[in-house]
Amino acid sequence: MHDAPGIPGHASHNRHLLRLQRALKELGYSYEAEGDVTRVHVEGALVEVRDEPGIGLALLLTAALPYSCREDCASSIVPFSFLLSSMGREVEYELDKSIPGYPMLRARVVFENTESLVETLIKSLDEFRKKTTH
């Protein structure tokens, strides 16, 4: 297994998030960590673990959408949809068209605690890795 680049930034003191970061390295995912925020790169999609004020602990998934029918967006949509479907949880969606010519689809999955978020994310990322490496 290759050594995934991790950018520790300001390390978290949360044991569950530290476990997530260890698992990301073991699974070969590139990530950045700033305190209790961890950003994971899954092919063309971005997965963020963060505590959102007024909402709680959440996973934010972002995928680039095609601007025209000639564009290929599978590199972000495939991992985006796979991860969301593998979590089996309620999802909130938002279409961001704030940058002309670069629409983004965002999804938010809220969790009750850090442990359940980390367990669910590690399982989903491991399933995605197995699916895409065979």
Side-chain angles (χ1 to χ4, degrees):
M1 190 160 312
H2 64 84
D3 187 28
I7 302 171
H10 305 286
S12 171
H13 297 289
N14 182 301
R15 67 183 170 94
H16 299 295
L17 293 177
L18 291 172
R19 179 173 175 267
L20 171 62
Q21 292 166 11
R22 281 191 305 275
L24 292 171
K25 285 180 186 176
E26 290 170 11
L27 293 171
Y29 286 99
S30 174
Y31 73 94
E32 298 108 34
E34 296 178 35
D36 289 338
V37 175
T38 302
R39 288 176 203 87
V40 185
H41 302 274
V42 185
E43 293 184 9
L46 179 67
V47 179
E48 287 186 89
V49 176
R50 64 174 49 239
D51 192 1
E52 293 195 298
I55 294 172
L57 195 61
L59 282 177
L60 299 176
L61 287 84
T62 304
L65 296 175
Y67 188 68
S68 72
C69 294
R70 293 181 298 256
E71 294 180 51
D72 175 26
C73 67
S75 67
S76 64
I77 294 298
V78 169
F80 180 90
S81 59
F82 181 91
L83 292 173
L84 287 174
S85 65
S86 69
M87 290 183 196
R89 292 179 167 263
E90 192 171 312
V91 180
E92 298 173 26
Y93 293 95
E94 172 188 320
L95 179 60
D96 181 353
K97 294 171 36 175
S98 62
I99 301 172
Y102 198 66
M104 305 293 282
L105 180 59
R106 291 201 172 86
R108 176 183 291 117
V109 181
V110 179
F111 286 80
E112 55 281 349
N113 61 57
T114 309
E115 184 175 12
S116 65
L117 182 152
V118 167
E119 291 296 322
T120 301
L121 181 56
I122 290 172
K123 182 180 177 215
S124 294
L125 290 169
D126 187 38
E127 288 174 11
F128 183 74
R129 182 184 59 84
K130 287 175 183 172
K131 178 182 183 276
T132 57
T133 57
H134 289 105

